[in-house]
Amino acid sequence: MAGTIVANQINTDTGLFSIQNASQGIAKAWISYNGVSKTINSSFNVSSVTYNSTGNYTLNFATAMSNANYAVAFGTIGITSNTDARQTTVINGTVSSSPTLKSTTQLNILTGVTSSAIIQDAYEVDVIVCGA
């Protein structure tokens, strides 16, 4: 069976697609970002990325989250290329004296080499935001 379903509104009281479950259970934003060339590879609900300094990026949401209690999953690939063997990590936070970990409109990300704890640009930064 093939075709297209078009609906202006879907109502359900329970189950996976009830309003709360559906809205809380899907990605509200995601991005694949090249931290070396400072370009967005692909994204959803991320309007831009601000490059603050080496390995320090701020994701700017196109549509604000309803609150800052969302979950974030992230990972990185390499420092210089997608075949770079060095391991990297992504840390949610800022290096300023009064950190803002996340807000309804932005999320700050730091990347660096795990073994040496040095902040560095990452070849690819992948982030998924769910919840709020």
Side-chain angles (χ1 to χ4, degrees), residues 23-41:
S23 65
Q24 293 297 317
I26 61 174
K28 298 298 178 66
W30 59 262
I31 188 169
S32 174
Y33 179 75
N34 186 316
V36 175
S37 67
K38 319 300 185 275
T39 56
I40 295 174
N41 300 323

Side-chain angles (χ1 to χ4, degrees), residues 31-106:
I31 188 169
S32 174
Y33 179 75
N34 186 316
V36 175
S37 67
K38 319 300 185 275
T39 56
I40 295 174
N41 300 323
S42 189
S43 69
F44 170 73
N45 197 29
V46 176
S47 59
S48 64
V49 176
T50 303
Y51 180 75
N52 303 308
S53 61
T54 301
N56 186 333
Y57 317 97
T58 299
L59 308 183
N60 302 294
F61 300 128
T63 301
M65 302 297 144
S66 59
N67 61 58
N69 297 323
Y70 49 84
V72 180
F74 39 72
T76 59
I77 299 173
I79 295 297
T80 58
S81 72
N82 64 352
T83 59
D84 188 344
R86 290 179 284 176
Q87 295 296 310
T88 60
T89 187
V90 179
I91 306 160
N92 173 6
T94 69
V95 292
S96 68
S97 58
S98 57
T100 304
L101 298 179
K102 56 187 179 180
S103 74
T104 59
T105 59
Q106 296 179 319

